[in-house]
Amino acid sequence: MNSTFDTVRAEALFASALQASQAPSAAQVRAAVTSTLRRFGVKDCAARVAGEFGEYPETAAARMSWALSMVDAAYQELATREFAYAG
């Protein structure tokens, strides 16, 4: 189950210009999430996601699936790294 933070991050990644075809690294995903949240804010990212699901549900579903998996991997890697340093 995704946390609220993961959902917000996935919406930001979804709203970003980053594409699955670019095979982004975890650092690129985190940078895209941060810059998109700063640029649009949480509410506008969610509104962009909703708009895409309204207009293009098939492609939006695939993009959100990609965004969720990328956010999970990118932030899991970060948490694992931080936990290792704390030990």
Side-chain angles (χ1 to χ4, degrees):
M1 180 172 204
N2 293 325
S3 72
T4 301
F5 290 119
D6 290 337
T7 301
V8 168
R9 290 168 176 156
E11 288 173 347
L13 182 57
F14 183 103
S16 76
L18 203 60
Q19 297 295 314
S21 61
Q22 293 173 291
S25 68
Q28 288 173 310
V29 168
R30 292 189 299 268
V33 167
T34 300
S35 65
T36 304
L37 283 171
R38 285 183 179 152
R39 182 174 179 198
F40 299 125
V42 173
K43 289 182 180 179
D44 197 23
C45 286
R48 290 170 180 269
V49 170
E52 288 296 311
F53 269 93
E55 291 186 40
Y56 311 102
E58 297 83 16
T59 56
R63 182 159 175 84
M64 182 53 78
S65 179
W66 168 78
L68 285 165
S69 67
M70 293 302 293
V71 162
D72 184 53
Y75 287 90
Q76 182 63 36
E77 175 188 300
L78 182 64
T80 302
R81 212 172 350 138
E82 287 179 358
F83 182 74
Y85 292 142

